[in-house]
Amino acid sequence: MHLFGKKKKESGCCGGGCNGRAARPAQGGKTAGAGVKILGSGCAKCNQLEANALEALKALGMDTAIDHVTDFAQIAAYGVMTTPALVVDGKVVSFGKVLKTEEVIALLKEARGGPTR
């Protein structure tokens, strides 16, 4: 848009309104590396999925910490609109339901290249 003969430089996702600043932290969260993450507001279902994921990691003998992401901008950066969601090594493997421990074990094995039952 031209105002008084000067053209404002447009950049970012929304044509210059945010200059991409709002999206950067969320994108950084998405690519923040390996690990297991639970995406959700911290409700009972999200907490149950986290507990089941902890049990699954213990059953597999994995020493992986679980991050619980509650920031909706970061959750949206993963493309998740329905929580709870499970992210393994940066990839969303489940969303919208509480997985049983056995289901989390199967997904962890699949995502990490291990054999499945």
Side-chain angles (χ1 to χ4, degrees), residues 27-103:
Q27 289 172 352
K30 181 176 179 180
T31 59
V36 176
K37 295 182 183 185
I38 304 297
L39 309 180
S41 64
C43 66
K45 289 182 179 182
C46 299
N47 292 334
Q48 184 60 51
L49 178 59
E50 183 174 8
N52 293 349
L54 276 171
E55 286 183 40
L57 289 168
K58 286 180 186 176
L60 292 171
M62 293 182 175
D63 190 14
T64 306
I66 294 180
D67 292 330
H68 197 129
V69 178
T70 57
D71 180 51
F72 288 110
Q74 290 182 349
I75 292 169
Y78 283 94
V80 171
M81 295 297 141
T82 309
T83 58
L86 177 65
V87 177
V88 179
D89 297 335
K91 181 180 176 187
V92 177
V93 296
S94 174
F95 62 92
K97 66 178 183 174
V98 178
L99 299 171
K100 296 178 184 174
T101 304
E102 298 79 26
E103 293 172 311

